[in-house]
């Protein structure tokens, strides 16, 4: 089963756009809004055992509204 299918990712806390869990270079995960482009921090993993936990932490931060936006004044 795909990790993204195992996790419930909320819509963007800024614009209500859809969001995707993305893997960065095989060593970390972040969530990104497909509408406004804001994103979470990247949570790194160093082994296959840490992969799911990194994805869960990333989604938890996103779902609680911890996002980075490049909008003016943010």
């Amino acid at each position: 089963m795909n990790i993204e299918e195992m996790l419930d990712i909320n819509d963007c806390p800024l614009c209500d756009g859809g969001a995707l869990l993305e893997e960065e270079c095989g060593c970390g995960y972040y969530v990104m809004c497909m509408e406004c482009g804001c994103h979470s921090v990247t949570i790194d993993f160093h082994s296959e055992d840490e992969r799911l936990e990194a994805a869960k932490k990333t989604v938890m931060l996103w779902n609680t509204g911890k996002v980075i936006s490049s909008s003016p004044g943010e």
Side-chain angles (χ1 to χ4, degrees):
M1 176 181 267
N2 187 341
I3 287 180
E4 189 169 327
E5 294 171 1
M6 298 169 58
L7 303 171
D8 183 30
I9 303 171
N10 294 346
D11 289 338
C12 178
L14 299 180
C15 75
D16 287 328
L20 289 174
L21 178 67
E22 297 284 337
E23 187 173 342
E24 184 173 296
C25 303
C27 63
Y29 284 107
Y30 64 95
V31 177
M32 183 170 172
C33 176
M34 297 185 308
E35 297 295 321
C36 72
C38 73
H39 55 90
S40 69
V41 297
T42 300
I43 303 292
D44 293 336
F45 58 88
H46 304 288
S47 68
E48 285 300 312
D49 295 334
E50 295 176 355
R51 181 183 291 269
L52 179 58
E53 193 60 35
K56 285 179 179 179
K57 286 180 183 177
T58 305
V59 170
M60 183 271 305
L61 289 171
W62 176 266
N63 287 348
T64 57
K66 306 292 186 195
V67 300
I68 300 168
S69 174
S70 61
S71 300
E74 295 292 321

